[in-house]
């Protein structure tokens, strides 16, 4: 039982999308986190809420206002993002009022993103790159798709903020190494592919090269919600690949899963660990 005297709130923050299908698994983390807290007998958070940074409600500013009305003294905000980016290092701090960048604020205001006006202090937690969630989840998902790893090629795909590529380079290499070691692939490759018309064009050369060595190729994404299959269909990748390797007898397998909702319990566990460790910090 916690002896924390402050009335703490736990806020889970996801990016937000105009597509509600994307928002649902992120917002579902609120219920999963509450469930784990209850099962573990952790009662040190007066309220647990999920919010979206932009594009869709519930907005961060509105949820924090509601938490303040419930008498919360301070808030731990956990960003549900894979890696540090301009969203976690610029947008969120400016929304929360912890940072002032007029260029960032102008963009947020133009998008209709409400800004926080609460007097309750908010501490922003780390992204998932500092956890073991990504490697564990991707390994599990690839195992489900693999039949004979020695005879298969694995291609990992990701996209991230160009200004934070050092983080992504480390993340995707570590994930590649972890999956290769756990499953035993003889051939792996990874790369960064931005969304849009270039999606198919940039992936095809990698697939063609892999098709020279293996007869079964698994395409696995390191994406929060979307699977490679959805993105591939959106940008015409299956048709383009079929045309590029039409003279080869190669099977292409598209992963259909993102990190969440499949890993929601792991993500909720990470949120709770970070939040409760934050509570233990003694400040004068």
């Amino acid at each position: 039982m916690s002896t924390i005297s402050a009335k703490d709130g736990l806020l889970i923050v996801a990016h937000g999308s105009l597509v509600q299908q994307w928002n649902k698994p992120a917002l579902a983390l609120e219920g999963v986190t509450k469930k784990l807290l209850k099962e573990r007998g952790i009662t040190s958070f007066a309220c647990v809420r999920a919010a979206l940074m932009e594009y869709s409600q519930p907005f961060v500013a509105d949820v924090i206002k509601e938490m303040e009305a419930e008498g919360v003294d301070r808030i731990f905000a956990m960003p549900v993002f894979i890696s540090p980016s301009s969203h976690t290092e610029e947008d969120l701090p400016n929304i929360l009022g912890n940072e002032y960048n007029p260029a960032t604020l102008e963009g947020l205001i133009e998008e209709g993103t409400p800004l926080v006006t609460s007097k309750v202090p908010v501490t922003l937690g780390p992204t998932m790159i500092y956890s073991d969630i990504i490697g564990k989840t991707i390994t599990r998902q690839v195992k489900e798709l693999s039949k004979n790893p020695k005879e298969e090629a694995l291609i990992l795909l990701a996209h991230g903020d160009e200004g934070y590529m050092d983080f992504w380079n480390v993340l995707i290499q570590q994930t590649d190494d972890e999956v290769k070691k756990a499953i035993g692939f003889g051939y792996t490759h990874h790369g960064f592919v931005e969304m849009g018309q270039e999606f198919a064009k940039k992936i095809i050369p990698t697939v063609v090269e892999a098709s020279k060595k293996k007869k079964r190729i698994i395409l696995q994404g390191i994406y929060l919600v979307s699977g490679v299959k959805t993105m591939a269909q959106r940008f015409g990748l299956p048709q383009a690949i079929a045309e590029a390797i039409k003279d080869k007898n190669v099977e292409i397998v598209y992963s259909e899963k993102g990190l969440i909702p499949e890993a929601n319990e792991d993500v909720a566990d990470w949120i709770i660990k970070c939040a409760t460790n934050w509570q233990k910090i003694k400040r004068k």
Side-chain angles (χ1 to χ4, degrees):
M1 182 72 68
S2 172
T3 57
I4 303 297
S5 58
K7 189 173 181 181
D8 293 338
L10 175 54
L11 177 65
I12 302 162
V13 183
H15 182 278
S17 171
L18 294 174
V19 181
Q20 292 307 310
Q21 183 180 355
W22 190 99
N23 295 328
K24 285 180 180 179
L27 292 174
L29 281 165
E30 178 182 315
V32 179
T33 302
K34 287 178 178 177
K35 172 177 169 288
L36 290 186
L37 286 168
K38 184 176 181 180
E39 289 174 354
R40 298 172 186 182
I42 300 173
T43 59
S44 53
F45 291 98
C47 61
V48 178
R49 298 289 302 277
L52 302 172
M53 191 183 76
E54 53 188 356
Y55 298 128
S56 190
Q57 297 178 344
F59 288 119
V60 170
D62 296 334
V63 173
I64 287 180
K65 188 176 294 184
E66 292 169 3
M67 295 172 80
E68 183 179 25
E70 293 180 38
V72 167
D73 298 312
R74 58 181 190 168
I75 295 170
F76 184 78
M78 194 69 175
V80 185
F81 290 78
I82 294 175
S83 170
S85 67
S86 59
H87 294 315
T88 61
E89 309 306 304
E90 283 288 334
D91 293 341
L92 266 177
N94 275 275
I95 289 170
L96 294 171
N98 295 331
E99 187 175 307
Y100 172 69
N101 183 327
T104 300
L105 283 170
E106 183 180 351
L108 291 168
I109 292 168
E110 285 180 358
E111 292 171 358
T113 303
L115 304 179
V116 173
T117 57
S118 171
K119 295 180 181 179
V120 176
V122 181
T123 300
L124 194 59
T127 60
M128 284 189 281
I129 197 172
Y130 298 102
S131 74
D132 63 356
I133 295 168
I134 298 160
K136 282 170 51 180
T137 304
I138 299 300
T139 298
R140 185 167 63 240
Q141 291 176 352
V142 172
K143 274 184 178 179
E144 293 174 359
L145 299 174
S146 178
K147 293 181 178 179
N148 184 0
K150 292 296 183 183
E151 301 302 321
E152 297 169 331
L154 170 66
I155 299 174
L156 293 175
L157 302 175
H159 68 264
D161 191 324
E162 291 184 0
Y164 296 82
M165 288 308 295
D166 286 349
F167 289 98
W168 279 100
N169 286 327
V170 171
L171 171 63
I172 201 167
Q173 183 62 63
Q174 286 181 342
T175 306
D176 189 320
D177 293 342
E178 187 171 342
V179 176
K180 186 190 300 182
K181 181 179 179 180
I183 303 178
F185 285 101
Y187 182 97
T188 62
H189 187 83
H190 56 262
F192 298 93
V193 186
E194 293 304 316
M195 301 301 98
Q197 295 180 350
E198 296 298 309
F199 185 77
K201 291 181 182 179
K202 290 187 177 180
I203 295 175
I204 288 174
T206 302
V207 173
V208 170
E209 187 62 30
S211 71
K212 297 175 183 177
K213 300 174 176 64
K214 303 294 179 181
K215 293 299 181 183
R216 193 168 191 267
I217 302 171
I218 298 172
L219 294 179
Q220 172 72 48
I222 305 179
Y223 306 128
L224 187 63
V225 176
S226 300
V228 169
K229 186 173 183 178
T230 301
M231 293 190 178
Q233 290 173 339
R234 184 187 307 164
F235 301 116
L237 182 61
Q239 299 90 331
I241 287 180
E243 178 63 26
I245 59 172
K246 61 184 177 182
D247 58 335
K248 296 180 175 64
N249 183 26
V250 176
E251 179 186 4
I252 308 295
V253 181
Y254 299 90
S255 173
E256 299 185 32
K257 298 178 179 179
L259 292 172
I260 62 174
E262 182 185 343
N264 268 10
E265 287 221 356
D266 289 331
V267 176
D269 178 68
W270 166 245
I271 291 169
I272 291 169
K273 283 179 181 176
C274 290
T276 52
N277 284 336
W278 165 75
Q279 287 184 316
K280 294 174 185 176
I281 297 172
K282 293 182 179 179
R283 302 181 189 277
K284 292 184 178 180

